Amino acid sequence: MSGSDTPLPNDPLWPRAGHWLSSADSIDLPSAQLALIGVPAYTTSITPTGAWATPAAIRDALMRYSTYAGGRGVDVSALRAVDVGDVENPDGAEGETRVRAAVGVAASTGCSLLIALGGDNSITYPVMGGLLGDLSNCGLVTIDAHHDLRNGETNGSPVRRLLEAGLLGERVVQIGIADFSNSEGYAKRAAQAGIRVVTRNEVATRRPAEIVAEALEVAGAGGGGVFVDIDVDVCDRAAVPGCPSAAPGGLSAAELREFAFLFGRAPQVRGIDITEIDATADAADQRTVRLGALLVLEAAAGLCVRLQTGVV
């Protein structure tokens, strides 16, 4: 899904990020520092979605970018990074079991950071569980316009399900919660659980680094790993037309990229997911899918900085 039939130019001095990730059968897995896994869940989405197509589309979009982040002072090609492929049929109870198992295998490489490509937001539940196991001392940060505390087992319920699985609400931080995208009932549910909510309006008045520092202090208070859920529909709809539930006035693409970098840099963060992009509904210029690819690269750049400091 390159968006064009015109072949991309080949320049040895401009290596493409699409060539950066090694396949699982071509790298010594225990040496991997970053692992990428696709989780193309879509069948339980409240809003019909073609998110099953998104992991492949994001991998393809990586061909549009280089591996060099001059502003960050790093080249992500320095990372030993592996793409372990997609989980087959990840929806439903049996699918979630496959997701947890596949994530567990990827985590057994000892990688410092796992990035999961959704799929819809339902993947946060099995990916976090498969990566971190016992959730009682772990933390969750969501960058999302929605609370995701709905009843049932859909893309609107992963946070509620994680709470029921042992995650403590006082170690959950939700960044970007938007007006008119939630109900009073679910806002009360978040408050009753002890979740720290950073609204879209609050994000607009604070520096991302300040918000991230607070989120890590809250989510990391138990001493266990922290998982970060990036629901791309937190962005302004003009920036992400491939996100069915995005609304006008959300975060900018630049803000979301900065959050991905800062959380990738944090040693407490063990995993990040990127969800709610429908590659089949994107604009002709593929701006949503291309943002997804840049979020992968920003998180990887953060990991490069993390490893440079020697804190993993």
Side-chain angles (χ1 to χ4, degrees), residues 1 10 12 26 28 50 52 54 68 83 92 103 135 158 226 232 251 258-259 264 283 293:
M1 299 183 65
N10 181 24
S26 64
D28 180 17
W52 54 267
T54 302
Y68 178 59
D83 185 347
V103 168
L135 301 177
V226 173
V232 182
L251 271 62
E258 183 69 7
F259 278 121

Side-chain angles (χ1 to χ4, degrees), residues 13 26 40 46 57 62 68 86 100 102 107 130 165 176 190 199 217 230 259 301 309:
L13 292 180
S26 64
I46 296 170
L62 285 169
Y68 178 59
D86 289 356
R100 282 189 288 269
T199 66
E217 182 178 0
I230 300 179
F259 278 121
T309 67

Side-chain angles (χ1 to χ4, degrees), residues 17-42:
H19 296 144
W20 154 58
L21 293 160
S22 300
S23 62
D25 58 2
S26 64
I27 188 175
D28 180 17
L29 288 179
S31 74
Q33 296 166 313
L34 180 147
L36 184 81
I37 188 169
V39 189
Y42 74 101

Side-chain angles (χ1 to χ4, degrees), residues 202-229:
E202 186 176 347
V203 171
T205 64
R206 299 176 63 190
R207 295 172 55 247
E210 177 188 351
I211 295 171
V212 169
E214 178 192 350
L216 292 171
E217 182 178 0
V218 172
V226 173
F227 189 82
V228 177
D229 162 40

Side-chain angles (χ1 to χ4, degrees), residues 136-140 163 166-174 189-197 214-222:
S136 61
N137 67 342
C138 297
L140 171 67
L163 295 176
L167 177 66
L168 297 181
E170 65 197 44
R171 296 194 188 118
V172 178
V173 180
Q174 299 195 303
R189 184 173 287 185
Q192 290 166 355
I195 293 172
R196 169 68 171 104
V197 173
E214 178 192 350
L216 292 171
E217 182 178 0
V218 172

Side-chain angles (χ1 to χ4, degrees), residues 50-64:
W52 54 267
T54 302
I58 289 178
R59 291 182 179 98
D60 188 72
L62 285 169
M63 293 296 292
R64 297 285 174 175

Side-chain angles (χ1 to χ4, degrees), residues 83-98:
D83 185 347
V84 300
D86 289 356
V87 180
E88 185 177 358
N89 298 323
D91 288 292
E94 293 183 359
E96 289 184 343
T97 297
R98 284 190 289 273

